Amino acid sequence: MRTYRDLFAAPEYRPFFAACSLQVAAQTVSGLALGALVYASTGSPLLSALAMFGPSLAQVVGALTLLSAADRLPPRSALAGLSLFLAAATLLQTVPGLPTAAALAVVLLQGVPSALGGGVRYGLLTDILDKDGYLLGRSVLNMSTGICQILGYALGGLLVTVLSPRGTLLIAVALYVLSAATSRFGLSARPPRATGRPSPRETMRGNARLWSSVPRRYVYLALWVPNGLIVGCEALFVPYDTAHAGLLLASAALGMLAGDIVTGRFLSPSLRARLGAPLRLLLAAPYLVFAIRPALPVALLAVALASVGYSASLLLQERLVALTPDELGGHALGLHTAGMLTTQGVGALLAGALAQALSPATAMVVLAVVSVGGTLGLGRGLRGPVPVAAAA
Protein backbone atom coordinates (compact mmCIF):
# COMPACT_ATOMS: atom_id res chain seq x y z
CA MET A 1 0.00 0.00 0.00
CA ARG A 2 1.85 3.06 -1.29
CA THR A 3 -0.72 5.80 -1.99
CA TYR A 4 -3.53 7.57 -0.15
CA ARG A 5 -5.93 6.34 -2.83
CA ASP A 6 -5.01 2.74 -2.01
CA LEU A 7 -5.39 3.48 1.68
CA PHE A 8 -8.90 4.90 1.50
CA ALA A 9 -9.94 2.19 -0.94
CA ALA A 10 -9.32 -0.39 1.80
CA PRO A 11 -12.61 -1.65 3.23
CA GLU A 12 -13.60 0.09 6.46
CA TYR A 13 -10.69 2.49 6.61
CA ARG A 14 -12.91 5.49 5.90
CA PRO A 15 -15.36 4.94 8.80
CA PHE A 16 -12.44 3.96 11.04
CA PHE A 17 -10.67 7.20 10.10
CA ALA A 18 -13.83 9.24 10.70
CA ALA A 19 -14.49 7.72 14.12
CA CYS A 20 -10.90 8.34 15.24
CA SER A 21 -10.95 11.92 13.94
CA LEU A 22 -14.19 12.75 15.72
CA GLN A 23 -12.82 11.42 18.99
CA VAL A 24 -9.62 13.47 18.66
CA ALA A 25 -11.68 16.59 17.92
CA ALA A 26 -13.77 15.95 21.02
CA GLN A 27 -10.68 15.45 23.20
CA THR A 28 -9.05 18.62 21.83
CA VAL A 29 -12.07 20.85 22.36
CA SER A 30 -12.87 19.47 25.81
CA GLY A 31 -9.24 19.65 26.98
CA LEU A 32 -8.87 23.31 26.01
CA ALA A 33 -12.25 24.22 27.52
CA LEU A 34 -11.57 22.46 30.80
CA GLY A 35 -8.01 23.80 30.99
CA ALA A 36 -9.33 27.36 30.54
CA LEU A 37 -12.09 26.75 33.10
CA VAL A 38 -9.69 25.44 35.74
CA TYR A 39 -7.05 28.12 35.13
CA ALA A 40 -9.68 30.87 35.37
CA SER A 41 -10.96 29.54 38.69
CA THR A 42 -7.62 28.61 40.30
CA GLY A 43 -4.85 30.56 38.52
CA SER A 44 -2.68 27.44 38.84
CA PRO A 45 -0.49 26.28 35.92
CA LEU A 46 -0.24 22.86 37.57
CA LEU A 47 -4.01 22.34 37.82
CA SER A 48 -4.54 23.74 34.33
CA ALA A 49 -2.03 21.21 32.95
CA LEU A 50 -3.73 18.44 34.90
CA ALA A 51 -7.11 19.42 33.46
CA MET A 52 -5.77 19.26 29.89
CA PHE A 53 -3.58 16.16 30.18
CA GLY A 54 -4.97 14.31 33.21
CA PRO A 55 -6.55 11.52 31.11
CA SER A 56 -3.10 10.78 29.70
CA LEU A 57 -1.66 10.44 33.21
CA ALA A 58 -4.39 8.01 34.29
CA GLN A 59 -3.76 5.67 31.36
CA VAL A 60 -1.13 3.86 33.43
CA VAL A 61 -3.95 2.31 35.48
CA GLY A 62 -5.62 0.97 32.34
CA ALA A 63 -2.29 -0.25 31.00
CA LEU A 64 -1.75 -2.32 34.16
CA THR A 65 -5.27 -3.77 34.38
CA LEU A 66 -7.24 -3.67 31.11
CA LEU A 67 -4.91 -4.19 28.14
CA SER A 68 -5.44 -7.95 27.94
CA ALA A 69 -8.94 -7.10 26.70
CA ALA A 70 -7.53 -5.24 23.66
CA ASP A 71 -7.25 -8.50 21.69
CA ARG A 72 -10.15 -10.24 23.48
CA LEU A 73 -13.10 -7.88 22.85
CA PRO A 74 -15.08 -7.34 19.64
CA PRO A 75 -13.43 -4.14 18.38
CA ARG A 76 -16.56 -2.44 17.04
CA SER A 77 -18.45 -2.69 20.34
CA ALA A 78 -15.39 -1.71 22.35
CA LEU A 79 -14.74 1.47 20.36
CA ALA A 80 -18.38 2.57 20.35
CA GLY A 81 -18.71 1.89 24.07
CA LEU A 82 -15.60 3.86 24.93
CA SER A 83 -16.80 6.93 23.00
CA LEU A 84 -20.14 6.83 24.83
CA PHE A 85 -18.34 6.58 28.18
CA LEU A 86 -16.23 9.63 27.34
CA ALA A 87 -19.36 11.52 26.25
CA ALA A 88 -21.06 10.79 29.58
CA ALA A 89 -17.98 11.81 31.59
CA THR A 90 -17.64 15.06 29.63
CA LEU A 91 -21.32 15.81 30.12
CA LEU A 92 -20.82 15.44 33.88
CA GLN A 93 -18.14 18.15 33.77
CA THR A 94 -20.71 20.67 32.50
CA VAL A 95 -22.72 20.55 35.73
CA PRO A 96 -22.84 24.12 37.13
CA GLY A 97 -21.02 24.48 40.44
CA LEU A 98 -19.08 21.25 40.06
CA PRO A 99 -16.05 21.63 42.36
CA THR A 100 -12.65 21.78 40.69
CA ALA A 101 -11.52 18.68 42.59
CA ALA A 102 -14.52 16.71 41.30
CA ALA A 103 -13.94 17.89 37.73
CA LEU A 104 -10.30 16.79 37.91
CA ALA A 105 -11.35 13.42 39.36
CA VAL A 106 -13.61 12.88 36.32
CA VAL A 107 -10.71 13.86 34.07
CA LEU A 108 -8.53 11.16 35.61
CA LEU A 109 -11.37 8.62 35.39
CA GLN A 110 -11.63 9.20 31.65
CA GLY A 111 -8.05 8.06 31.13
CA VAL A 112 -8.37 4.56 32.59
CA PRO A 113 -10.41 2.88 29.81
CA SER A 114 -8.71 5.02 27.17
CA ALA A 115 -5.65 2.77 27.50
CA LEU A 116 -7.80 -0.13 26.31
CA GLY A 117 -9.19 2.01 23.49
CA GLY A 118 -5.72 2.59 22.07
CA GLY A 119 -5.01 -1.13 21.93
CA VAL A 120 -8.35 -1.95 20.29
CA ARG A 121 -8.07 0.91 17.80
CA TYR A 122 -4.56 0.26 16.53
CA GLY A 123 -4.90 -3.49 16.67
CA LEU A 124 -7.94 -3.11 14.42
CA LEU A 125 -5.86 -0.92 12.10
CA THR A 126 -3.49 -3.83 11.45
CA ASP A 127 -6.53 -6.00 10.64
CA ILE A 128 -7.97 -3.46 8.21
CA LEU A 129 -4.67 -2.71 6.45
CA ASP A 130 -2.26 -5.52 7.49
CA LYS A 131 1.21 -4.80 8.89
CA ASP A 132 2.63 -3.54 5.59
CA GLY A 133 0.02 -0.78 5.48
CA TYR A 134 0.33 0.20 9.13
CA LEU A 135 2.87 3.02 8.68
CA LEU A 136 0.87 4.85 6.00
CA GLY A 137 -2.44 4.24 7.76
CA ARG A 138 -1.13 5.43 11.11
CA SER A 139 0.56 8.45 9.52
CA VAL A 140 -2.79 9.50 8.05
CA LEU A 141 -4.42 9.12 11.44
CA ASN A 142 -1.68 11.28 12.92
CA MET A 143 -2.25 13.81 10.15
CA SER A 144 -5.93 13.81 11.04
CA THR A 145 -4.97 14.35 14.66
CA GLY A 146 -2.91 17.36 13.63
CA ILE A 147 -5.73 18.83 11.54
CA CYS A 148 -8.31 18.21 14.26
CA GLN A 149 -6.03 19.81 16.84
CA ILE A 150 -5.33 22.83 14.62
CA LEU A 151 -9.05 23.35 14.07
CA GLY A 152 -9.97 22.29 17.59
CA TYR A 153 -7.57 24.66 19.32
CA ALA A 154 -8.32 27.52 16.95
CA LEU A 155 -12.10 27.05 17.05
CA GLY A 156 -12.02 25.88 20.66
CA GLY A 157 -10.60 29.19 21.79
CA LEU A 158 -13.37 30.98 19.89
CA LEU A 159 -16.04 28.66 21.29
CA VAL A 160 -14.79 29.19 24.84
CA THR A 161 -15.16 32.95 24.32
CA VAL A 162 -18.53 32.81 22.59
CA LEU A 163 -20.24 29.90 24.34
CA SER A 164 -18.27 29.71 27.63
CA PRO A 165 -16.15 26.71 28.64
CA ARG A 166 -19.21 24.69 29.68
CA GLY A 167 -20.94 25.35 26.37
CA THR A 168 -17.79 24.20 24.58
CA LEU A 169 -17.81 20.99 26.62
CA LEU A 170 -21.31 20.27 25.27
CA ILE A 171 -19.90 20.49 21.73
CA ALA A 172 -17.34 17.87 22.76
CA VAL A 173 -20.12 15.62 24.05
CA ALA A 174 -21.84 15.74 20.66
CA LEU A 175 -18.56 14.87 18.90
CA TYR A 176 -18.06 11.84 21.15
CA VAL A 177 -21.59 10.62 20.37
CA LEU A 178 -20.95 10.99 16.63
CA SER A 179 -17.75 8.98 17.00
CA ALA A 180 -19.65 6.19 18.76
CA ALA A 181 -22.31 6.12 16.04
CA THR A 182 -19.68 6.01 13.29
CA SER A 183 -17.94 3.05 14.94
CA ARG A 184 -21.18 1.18 15.54
CA PHE A 185 -22.70 1.63 12.08
CA GLY A 186 -19.60 2.03 9.91
CA LEU A 187 -17.42 -0.88 11.04
CA SER A 188 -18.06 -4.56 10.52
CA ALA A 189 -18.60 -6.93 13.41
CA ARG A 190 -15.34 -8.79 14.01
CA PRO A 191 -14.55 -11.51 16.53
CA PRO A 192 -11.84 -10.84 19.10
CA ARG A 193 -8.24 -11.21 17.88
CA ALA A 194 -7.37 -13.67 20.67
CA THR A 195 -9.17 -16.16 22.90
CA GLY A 196 -9.36 -16.32 26.67
CA ARG A 197 -10.81 -14.14 29.37
CA PRO A 198 -9.26 -10.72 29.90
CA SER A 199 -8.09 -10.00 33.43
CA PRO A 200 -5.52 -7.91 35.29
CA ARG A 201 -3.38 -11.04 35.60
CA GLU A 202 -3.42 -11.63 31.84
CA THR A 203 -2.66 -7.94 31.30
CA MET A 204 0.39 -8.12 33.54
CA ARG A 205 1.50 -11.36 31.87
CA GLY A 206 1.29 -9.78 28.42
CA ASN A 207 3.07 -6.65 29.62
CA ALA A 208 5.86 -8.75 31.08
CA ARG A 209 6.24 -10.71 27.85
CA LEU A 210 6.45 -7.53 25.79
CA TRP A 211 8.87 -5.87 28.20
CA SER A 212 11.12 -8.94 28.40
CA SER A 213 12.50 -8.27 24.92
CA VAL A 214 15.44 -5.85 25.09
CA PRO A 215 14.87 -4.47 21.56
CA ARG A 216 11.19 -3.83 22.32
CA ARG A 217 12.17 -2.23 25.62
CA TYR A 218 14.35 0.34 23.89
CA VAL A 219 11.56 1.10 21.42
CA TYR A 220 9.04 1.64 24.22
CA LEU A 221 11.33 3.93 26.19
CA ALA A 222 12.17 5.95 23.07
CA LEU A 223 8.45 6.29 22.31
CA TRP A 224 7.58 7.36 25.84
CA VAL A 225 10.22 9.44 27.59
CA PRO A 226 11.40 12.17 25.16
CA ASN A 227 7.86 12.56 23.80
CA GLY A 228 6.33 12.96 27.26
CA LEU A 229 8.78 15.67 28.25
CA ILE A 230 8.03 17.74 25.16
CA VAL A 231 4.29 17.43 25.68
CA GLY A 232 5.08 18.91 29.09
CA CYS A 233 6.41 21.96 27.25
CA GLU A 234 3.12 22.20 25.34
CA ALA A 235 1.18 21.99 28.60
CA LEU A 236 2.77 25.30 29.62
CA PHE A 237 1.54 27.30 26.64
CA VAL A 238 -1.47 28.62 28.60
CA PRO A 239 0.54 30.08 31.50
CA TYR A 240 3.43 31.08 29.18
CA ASP A 241 1.22 33.18 26.90
CA THR A 242 -2.47 32.89 27.72
CA ALA A 243 -3.58 35.20 24.94
CA HIS A 244 -1.75 33.20 22.24
CA ALA A 245 -1.89 29.69 23.72
CA GLY A 246 -4.29 28.55 21.01
CA LEU A 247 -1.89 29.73 18.31
CA LEU A 248 1.04 27.95 19.94
CA LEU A 249 -0.94 24.71 20.23
CA ALA A 250 -2.15 25.03 16.64
CA SER A 251 1.44 25.62 15.50
CA ALA A 252 2.51 22.42 17.27
CA ALA A 253 -0.27 20.51 15.53
CA LEU A 254 0.72 22.00 12.17
CA GLY A 255 4.33 20.85 12.61
CA MET A 256 3.20 17.37 13.55
CA LEU A 257 0.97 17.26 10.47
CA ALA A 258 3.86 18.25 8.18
CA GLY A 259 6.17 15.65 9.70
CA ASP A 260 3.64 12.86 9.34
CA ILE A 261 2.95 13.71 5.70
CA VAL A 262 6.63 13.62 4.76
CA THR A 263 7.59 10.61 6.87
CA GLY A 264 4.54 8.46 6.23
CA ARG A 265 4.23 9.03 2.51
CA PHE A 266 7.48 10.19 0.94
CA LEU A 267 10.47 8.73 2.81
CA SER A 268 11.94 5.50 1.46
CA PRO A 269 12.81 2.71 3.94
CA SER A 270 16.53 3.47 3.68
CA LEU A 271 15.98 7.18 4.27
CA ARG A 272 13.68 6.47 7.20
CA ALA A 273 16.44 4.42 8.80
CA ARG A 274 18.92 7.30 8.47
CA LEU A 275 16.56 10.03 9.66
CA GLY A 276 15.19 8.31 12.75
CA ALA A 277 17.80 9.68 15.16
CA PRO A 278 17.80 13.27 13.79
CA LEU A 279 14.01 13.41 13.96
CA ARG A 280 14.08 12.26 17.59
CA LEU A 281 16.51 15.07 18.44
CA LEU A 282 14.49 17.62 16.48
CA LEU A 283 11.55 17.02 18.80
CA ALA A 284 13.28 18.84 21.69
CA ALA A 285 16.07 21.04 20.37
CA PRO A 286 13.98 24.02 19.11
CA TYR A 287 12.48 24.53 22.58
CA LEU A 288 15.88 25.75 23.78
CA VAL A 289 15.06 29.09 22.13
CA PHE A 290 12.56 29.78 24.92
CA ALA A 291 15.57 30.58 27.13
CA ILE A 292 15.52 34.05 25.55
CA ARG A 293 11.70 34.44 25.62
CA PRO A 294 11.43 34.90 21.84
CA ALA A 295 8.92 37.07 20.04
CA LEU A 296 5.68 35.32 19.10
CA PRO A 297 6.60 34.59 15.43
CA VAL A 298 9.89 32.97 16.51
CA ALA A 299 8.11 30.98 19.22
CA LEU A 300 5.51 29.74 16.73
CA LEU A 301 8.25 28.71 14.28
CA ALA A 302 10.23 26.89 16.98
CA VAL A 303 7.16 24.99 18.18
CA ALA A 304 6.18 23.97 14.63
CA LEU A 305 9.72 22.84 13.80
CA ALA A 306 9.99 20.80 16.99
CA SER A 307 6.67 19.09 16.35
CA VAL A 308 7.97 17.77 13.02
CA GLY A 309 10.06 15.52 15.26
CA TYR A 310 6.94 13.73 16.48
CA SER A 311 7.06 11.82 13.18
CA ALA A 312 9.97 9.83 14.63
CA SER A 313 7.35 7.91 16.61
CA LEU A 314 5.97 6.52 13.34
CA LEU A 315 9.32 4.90 12.61
CA LEU A 316 9.52 3.54 16.15
CA GLN A 317 5.98 2.13 15.88
CA GLU A 318 6.89 0.43 12.61
CA ARG A 319 9.81 -1.17 14.42
CA LEU A 320 7.55 -2.23 17.30
CA VAL A 321 5.03 -3.88 14.97
CA ALA A 322 7.85 -5.83 13.30
CA LEU A 323 9.13 -6.97 16.71
CA THR A 324 5.75 -8.18 18.01
CA PRO A 325 3.91 -11.48 17.36
CA ASP A 326 0.42 -11.19 15.90
CA GLU A 327 -1.42 -12.49 18.97
CA LEU A 328 -0.02 -9.59 21.00
CA GLY A 329 -0.43 -6.92 18.33
CA GLY A 330 -3.28 -4.99 19.93
CA HIS A 331 -1.79 -5.38 23.40
CA ALA A 332 1.63 -4.12 22.23
CA LEU A 333 0.19 -1.06 20.49
CA GLY A 334 -2.12 -0.41 23.43
CA LEU A 335 0.85 -0.53 25.79
CA HIS A 336 2.67 1.91 23.53
CA THR A 337 -0.28 4.32 23.47
CA ALA A 338 -1.01 4.03 27.19
CA GLY A 339 2.64 4.42 28.15
CA MET A 340 3.08 7.36 25.80
CA LEU A 341 0.02 9.17 27.10
CA THR A 342 0.94 8.39 30.69
CA THR A 343 4.40 9.87 30.27
CA GLN A 344 2.77 12.84 28.56
CA GLY A 345 0.60 13.30 31.64
CA VAL A 346 3.64 12.98 33.91
CA GLY A 347 5.47 15.46 31.70
CA ALA A 348 2.58 17.91 31.97
CA LEU A 349 2.51 17.65 35.77
CA LEU A 350 6.28 17.95 35.99
CA ALA A 351 6.14 20.97 33.72
CA GLY A 352 3.46 22.60 35.87
CA ALA A 353 5.47 22.00 39.04
CA LEU A 354 8.64 23.41 37.45
CA ALA A 355 6.76 26.43 36.13
CA GLN A 356 5.45 27.25 39.58
CA ALA A 357 8.94 26.97 41.08
CA LEU A 358 10.76 28.74 38.20
CA SER A 359 8.81 30.15 35.25
CA PRO A 360 7.00 28.61 32.27
CA ALA A 361 9.81 29.55 29.85
CA THR A 362 12.56 28.19 32.12
CA ALA A 363 10.61 24.99 32.71
CA MET A 364 10.31 24.42 28.95
CA VAL A 365 14.06 24.79 28.50
CA VAL A 366 14.78 22.33 31.34
CA LEU A 367 12.40 19.75 29.88
CA ALA A 368 13.95 20.16 26.41
CA VAL A 369 17.46 19.58 27.77
CA VAL A 370 16.38 16.42 29.61
CA SER A 371 14.55 15.17 26.50
CA VAL A 372 17.67 15.58 24.36
CA GLY A 373 19.69 13.70 26.96
CA GLY A 374 17.17 10.84 27.02
CA THR A 375 17.16 10.60 23.23
CA LEU A 376 20.95 10.40 23.10
CA GLY A 377 21.07 7.80 25.86
CA LEU A 378 18.53 5.52 24.16
CA GLY A 379 20.02 5.82 20.68
CA ARG A 380 22.45 2.92 21.00
CA GLY A 381 19.60 0.44 21.48
CA LEU A 382 17.86 1.53 18.27
CA ARG A 383 20.67 1.12 15.78
CA GLY A 384 20.72 -1.51 13.06
CA PRO A 385 17.95 -3.65 11.52
CA VAL A 386 15.10 -5.16 13.48
CA PRO A 387 16.28 -8.38 15.23
CA VAL A 388 13.96 -11.06 13.90
CA ALA A 389 14.40 -13.28 16.94
CA ALA A 390 12.96 -10.59 19.19
CA ALA A 391 9.53 -11.00 17.63
CA ALA A 392 9.15 -14.51 19.01
Side-chain angles (χ1 to χ4, degrees):
M1 185 170 294
R2 296 295 303 168
T3 69
Y4 296 131
R5 183 188 298 273
D6 294 338
L7 180 66
F8 283 94
E12 297 184 78
Y13 186 77
R14 279 176 287 182
F16 176 82
F17 172 84
C20 293
S21 300
L22 286 165
Q23 184 157 318
V24 170
Q27 290 168 339
T28 302
V29 170
S30 63
L32 182 59
L34 195 59
L37 189 65
V38 170
Y39 189 66
S41 62
T42 66
S44 169
L46 177 60
L47 293 180
S48 175
L50 181 61
M52 292 184 70
F53 296 96
S56 301
L57 180 65
Q59 290 223 12
V60 66
V61 178
L64 294 175
T65 58
L66 300 178
L67 273 182
S68 62
D71 296 303
R72 293 176 170 87
L73 289 177
R76 182 178 70 176
S77 299
L79 293 178
L82 175 62
S83 292
L84 290 176
F85 169 80
L86 294 174
T90 304
L91 183 62
L92 181 60
Q93 291 166 335
T94 68
V95 174
L98 184 70
T100 298
L104 292 176
V106 174
V107 166
L108 294 174
L109 181 63
Q110 287 178 297
V112 177
S114 295
L116 170 62
V120 174
R121 185 176 301 112
Y122 300 121
L124 178 59
L125 179 60
T126 62
D127 290 339
I128 293 174
L129 299 180
D130 69 43
K131 287 187 176 182
D132 291 338
Y134 178 84
L135 179 67
L136 184 60
R138 184 64 189 266
S139 74
V140 170
L141 289 181
N142 288 354
M143 289 158 52
S144 169
T145 296
I147 292 171
C148 289
Q149 288 179 343
I150 291 168
L151 296 176
Y153 287 130
L155 295 178
L158 178 63
L159 289 172
V160 166
T161 302
V162 174
L163 298 179
S164 80
R166 287 188 173 85
T168 305
L169 287 173
L170 289 174
I171 300 294
V173 171
L175 292 171
Y176 278 128
V177 172
L178 283 174
S179 177
T182 303
S183 294
R184 175 61 182 83
F185 299 107
L187 299 174
S188 299
R190 277 184 170 83
R193 295 162 53 87
T195 59
R197 294 185 60 182
S199 68
R201 176 180 292 183
E202 286 300 316
T203 297
M204 294 302 294
R205 185 176 298 168
N207 288 345
R209 182 179 171 190
L210 290 167
W211 194 250
S212 66
S213 163
V214 173
R216 278 197 297 260
R217 198 180 308 154
Y218 270 100
V219 173
Y220 276 128
L221 290 173
L223 280 164
W224 295 342
V225 178
N227 180 298
L229 293 169
I230 298 308
V231 168
C233 294
E234 296 175 6
L236 296 177
F237 289 166
V238 171
Y240 174 78
D241 188 348
T242 304
H244 300 107
L247 284 176
L248 288 165
L249 289 165
S251 183
L254 182 62
M256 185 175 69
L257 172 64
D260 285 332
I261 290 174
V262 173
T263 302
R265 177 66 181 88
F266 297 108
L267 295 186
S268 65
S270 61
L271 196 54
R272 292 201 299 264
R274 291 198 297 271
L275 290 180
L279 284 172
R280 293 195 297 272
L281 287 171
L282 181 63
L283 179 62
Y287 277 96
L288 299 176
V289 76
F290 283 89
I292 61 172
R293 292 193 64 90
L296 180 62
V298 176
L300 292 173
L301 180 61
V303 168
L305 183 61
S307 296
V308 172
Y310 279 122
S311 63
S313 69
L314 282 173
L315 309 182
L316 291 168
Q317 289 170 56
E318 185 179 39
R319 189 178 184 92
L320 178 63
V321 169
L323 287 168
T324 303
D326 290 341
E327 69 272 14
L328 280 175
H331 193 138
L333 293 168
L335 182 60
H336 146 58
T337 302
M340 179 186 68
L341 293 175
T342 298
T343 54
Q344 288 177 357
V346 171
L349 290 181
L350 177 61
L354 286 172
Q356 291 197 162
L358 304 170
S359 71
T362 303
M364 282 192 274
V365 173
V366 170
L367 292 171
V369 169
V370 177
S371 180
V372 168
T375 294
L376 293 174
L378 292 167
R380 64 185 180 87
L382 300 171
R383 299 190 186 104
V386 175
V388 177

